[in-house]
Amino acid sequence: MNIEMRGISKSFGENQVLLGVDFNVRSGEVHALMGENGAGKSTLMNILTGLHRADGGSIVVDGTERVFASPREAERNGVAFIHQELNIWPNLSILENLFLMNPPKTALGTLDFAAMRRRAEEACAELGITLPLDAPAEECSVGQQQMTEILRVLMLHAQIVIMDEPTAALTERETEVLFGVMKRMKAAGVGIVYISHRMEEVFAVSDQVTVMRDGGAVSTLPTAQTDMGRVVRDMVGRSLTEYYPARTRTPGEVIFAIHNMHSRDVFTDVSFTLREGEILGVAGLMGAGRTEIMRALFGVDRKDGAQIRLHGEEIKIDTPRDAIRAGIGFITENRKTEGLILDFSIGDNISLPCIDRFAAHHIVKAKEEDAFITSLAERLGVKAASTEVSAGTLSGGNQQKVVIAKWVGMQPSILIMDEPTRGIDVGAKRDIYDLMNELTEAGVSIIMVSSELPEVIGMSDRILVVHEGRIAGELSREEATQEKIITLATGGE
Ligand SMILES: Nc1ncnc2c1ncn2[C@@H]1O[C@H](COP(=O)(O)OP(=O)(O)OP(=O)(O)O)[C@@H](O)[C@H]1O
Ligand SMILES: [Mg+2]
């Protein structure tokens, strides 16, 4: 199959998102699509697969002009899309999610659960993964949900598969499994569009790279004939030399101390301290318990016990409300279910948590609120037509920026950030690092959970490494290396 998109343009209202984009993908080729947050990558693929209609341009499939009327029709014609934002029904089981679109039926026309289970188990076995098929999706990790979406699409045996940031939530092992599958698909003649902000991955798996900027395709080159520097330049229009800004603040006194926090079967004896203006990195493999520790600390999940001291005084955190009252903020890894109200505007998402500040005598001080929202959105470089548009229409990376803006606006003194730059483009990442520096400069302490080792090493004053629900070790900024972190994270000494 050979798909050529020619001169595709698209506006959402006033917002011109694509301006005459050319892009093609053919059988047996991995074509990477890169570009800043909001450049139009997901939109271009949504047009190809019939979710949106282009305003101009044409799509030519094997020599014939075609428009798929809906994602289902695209799938039926062999073009399938693994979405960036998880396309999962939280209250249905993993098994039901896998077969939602085309469930096998018995001769009587009822759902054939036995056949579903058999096919799902075969597919899992073929990939060498296990998924809790009967668990409601909402009880599964983001990685398991992502793997479900990947498996669902793979079972369709499409000829062209689009993957929109498939590895953002996967463990290293799951990522390797996916790369293995991609290799086999390629050998079998499947064409793949691979969207990712992870430069190393793109260079490892792709044959071609197209870079988009501001709604246009800037360059298309064979991967072997380009390099990371060139791609970054095409993406952001400048070269980024110093990737991580220098830390400017020396941490002060210990302000927050956790002693022996534990939760049966999940984590044990978690003890650590946090200093004023410090960035404490938390590294570890996915599934080691980092997110669980943070959720329990913040009061989202229950814990079996802990002594928590804030400025020397013992406090209790049993609910998120307790945590927020103590001045703690929590940017979660799952923005879709925990971070944002997608139907609300960008502005309301940012100002709602601190609406009290703008409500005097029940009259909201609209001007002040507007100024507050605008300054935060600008500081984070949220790319949108205005702050009135609903958060659900933003690109993935821009939604993440709104989540960060919301919590920064609450002016916490301790900010927990779980995978803060996931899905964020290289240029905007730097903005977030600068913001972290600014916050710590003003005395805010940050706990940053991250799976990107260069980020942990580049930004942290001190690093905790979590392994199987325990803190396996602590490294200072000076002694931290990738090797040392990996050794601790995998249970080595
Ligand atoms: N349904 C929609 N309604 C209105 N605007 C939209 C809609 N979908 C996308 N947009 C806008 O189109 C632009 C491009 O978004 P798109 O999701 O294609 O970016 P992207 O390149 O995939 O970015 P990211 O790397 O952050 O995922 C953004 O400005 C976004 O706000
Ligand atoms: Mg996108």
Side-chain angles (χ1 to χ4, degrees), residues 34-204:
M34 301 199 72
E36 292 186 276
N37 297 131
K41 306 176 294 291
S42 300
T43 303
L44 186 68
M45 292 300 113
N46 278 326
I47 287 172
L48 174 59
T49 53
L51 184 71
H52 296 315
R53 190 58 76 98
D55 302 333
S58 60
I59 302 171
V60 179
V61 179
D62 290 334
T64 316
E65 198 165 316
R66 313 243 355 186
V67 173
F68 298 122
S70 67
R72 280 201 81 159
E73 195 190 307
E75 280 184 5
R76 253 179 268 150
N77 286 277
V79 181
F81 195 167
I82 299 172
H83 285 271
Q84 170 180 27
E85 293 305 319
L86 300 171
N87 229 353
I88 292 279
W89 294 85
N91 52 340
L92 297 184
S93 72
I94 293 291
L95 192 63
E96 288 164 322
N97 268 292
L98 282 172
F99 293 99
L100 206 58
M101 299 283 265
N102 43 358
K105 301 255 174 77
T106 62
L108 297 173
T110 57
L111 293 183
D112 188 348
F113 279 100
M116 284 190 208
R117 184 174 306 277
R118 204 170 49 241
R119 272 163 53 185
E121 279 169 357
E122 276 168 18
C124 283
E126 204 183 313
L127 299 191
I129 58 168
T130 47
L131 281 173
L133 295 176
D134 298 307
E138 61 196 344
E139 285 173 17
C140 297
S141 70
V142 184
Q144 286 172 326
Q145 294 179 22
Q146 180 71 66
M147 223 51 205
T148 304
E149 168 80 353
I150 291 172
L151 201 63
R152 182 187 77 75
V153 168
L154 292 183
M155 287 192 300
L156 299 171
H157 299 291
Q159 287 172 273
I160 300 284
V161 175
I162 301 150
M163 304 184 173
D164 200 348
E165 291 199 46
T167 61
L170 298 187
T171 62
E172 307 246 329
R173 213 189 83 69
E174 287 166 336
T175 301
E176 268 166 39
V177 169
L178 180 68
F179 287 175
V181 173
M182 285 171 67
K183 234 184 223 154
R184 272 183 277 156
M185 288 165 73
K186 207 174 120 168
V190 176
I192 299 172
V193 179
Y194 192 80
I195 302 178
S196 175
H197 289 294
R198 296 190 178 168
M199 209 68 84
E200 292 83 8
E201 285 183 0
V202 164
F203 277 83

Side-chain angles (χ1 to χ4, degrees), residues 293-305:
I293 289 170
M294 294 310 146
R295 285 171 58 94
L297 178 58
F298 192 71
V300 183
D301 294 340
R302 61 176 298 280
K303 44 193 168 288
D304 295 325

Side-chain angles (χ1 to χ4, degrees), residues 11 19 30 48 145 250 316 319 352-353 414 481:
S11 306
L19 316 102
V30 178
L48 174 59
Q145 294 179 22
T250 319
K316 284 227 169 310
T319 64
L352 258 190
I414 295 169
T481 61

